[in-house]
């Protein structure tokens, strides 16, 4: 975590959030522009900037402690990222298996959807063809009924004409019989 002033802080729980208070975090190290090696050996500034061996060890000790805290923070954040796995490779293997399973499941689902879509199309085409066949069947049946009706109508017309002819002939005959009976 950095507060923008080149002061870097260690976040103890390894979980940095925007609302973390820098005062609660430990000061990790401060970036300064002091040079440890001077340009000239004999100058007075170089003698002021040179550190004693004890001071060097103290600085190195602090840097080691700081580096330890940084590594501890990194390990905590990695342990949060690993979801309880022992190593990063196991974590990656588990993640790749999960991704592979998700891919195979989505592939299966896609195949299922494709087959259902094809079945739906086939069913629609069968239903459409059945409707066409039913319509054609009804059309043929109506045509045959119409032809049959026309045949019956023609037969009835013939029978009507025959009946009319028979009635006229019977009327003529009855008229003749009446005339003969009345003459006798």
């Amino acid at each position: 975590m950095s507060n923008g002033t080149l002061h870097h802080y260690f976040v103890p729980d390894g979980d940095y959030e925007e609302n973390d208070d820098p005062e609660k975090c430990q000061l990790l190290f401060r970036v300064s522009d002091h040079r440890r090696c001077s340009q000239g050996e004999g100058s007075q500034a170089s003698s002021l900037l040179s550190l004693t061996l004890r001071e060097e060890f103290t600085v190195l000790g602090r840097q080691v402690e700081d580096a330890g805290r940084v590594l501890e923070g990194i390990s905590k954040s990695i342990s949060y990222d690993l979801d309880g796995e022992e190593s990063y490779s196991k974590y990656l293997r588990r993640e790749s298996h999960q991704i592979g399973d998700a891919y195979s499941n989505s592939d299966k689902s896609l195949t299922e959807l494709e087959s259902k879509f094809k079945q739906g199309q086939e069913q629609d085409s069968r239903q459409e063809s059945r409707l066409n066949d039913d319509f054609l069947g009804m059309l043929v049946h109506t045509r045959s009924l119409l032809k049959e009706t026309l045949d019956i109508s023609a037969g009835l017309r013939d029978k009507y004409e025959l009946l009319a002819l028979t009635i006229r002939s019977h009327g003529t005959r009855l008229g003749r019989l009446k005339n003969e009976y009345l003459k006798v």
Side-chain angles (χ1 to χ4, degrees), residues 109-121:
S109 297
L110 184 61
T111 305
E112 245 178 72
L113 285 174
E114 286 175 346
S115 68
K116 285 182 182 181
F117 181 71
K118 285 180 184 177
Q119 287 174 354
Q121 282 183 329

Side-chain angles (χ1 to χ4, degrees), residues 21-101:
D21 185 14
E23 298 301 320
K24 292 182 181 176
C25 299
Q26 302 168 7
L27 179 65
L28 186 59
F29 58 90
R30 186 178 355 196
V31 177
S32 65
D33 57 353
H34 285 62
R35 293 193 181 118
R36 298 189 64 188
C37 298
S38 62
Q39 301 286 346
E41 287 295 324
S43 71
Q44 188 180 13
S46 67
S47 65
L48 289 176
L49 292 178
S50 66
L51 298 174
T52 64
L53 188 58
R54 177 181 217 120
E55 291 170 338
E56 282 285 328
F57 279 129
T58 306
V59 168
L60 282 174
R62 287 181 188 158
Q63 288 176 349
V64 167
E65 288 173 3
D66 292 343
R69 284 195 299 268
V70 168
L71 289 176
E72 184 181 341
I74 291 172
S75 70
K76 282 183 183 180
S77 68
I78 288 175
S79 70
Y80 287 132
D81 290 343
L82 292 181
D83 278 343
E85 291 292 336
E86 292 177 14
S87 69
Y88 195 61
S89 64
K90 288 182 181 178
Y91 171 75
L92 288 178
R93 272 191 220 108
R94 187 186 69 182
E95 288 294 315
S96 71
H97 285 299
Q98 286 177 350
I99 290 170
D101 291 345

Side-chain angles (χ1 to χ4, degrees), residues 102-178:
Y103 177 75
S104 66
N105 288 339
S106 66
D107 192 38
K108 287 176 187 175
S109 297
L110 184 61
T111 305
E112 245 178 72
L113 285 174
E114 286 175 346
S115 68
K116 285 182 182 181
F117 181 71
K118 285 180 184 177
Q119 287 174 354
Q121 282 183 329
E122 290 171 0
Q123 191 175 18
D124 286 348
S125 68
R126 276 188 259 132
Q127 190 175 14
E128 205 174 288
S129 113
R130 190 174 357 167
L131 284 173
N132 286 339
D133 291 345
D134 290 348
F135 179 75
L136 287 176
M138 289 190 308
L139 189 63
V140 167
H141 182 65
T142 304
R143 191 168 146 200
S144 67
L145 282 178
L146 184 60
K147 185 177 178 184
E148 199 175 306
T149 305
L150 288 174
D151 290 346
I152 290 172
S153 173
L156 285 177
R157 194 173 332 129
D158 291 343
K159 287 182 182 180
Y160 171 75
E161 290 174 4
L162 184 61
L163 188 60
L165 188 61
T166 306
I167 290 174
R168 265 189 266 136
S169 100
H170 283 293
T172 309
R173 215 178 194 189
L174 282 174
R176 210 178 8 181
L177 283 175
K178 177 179 145 191

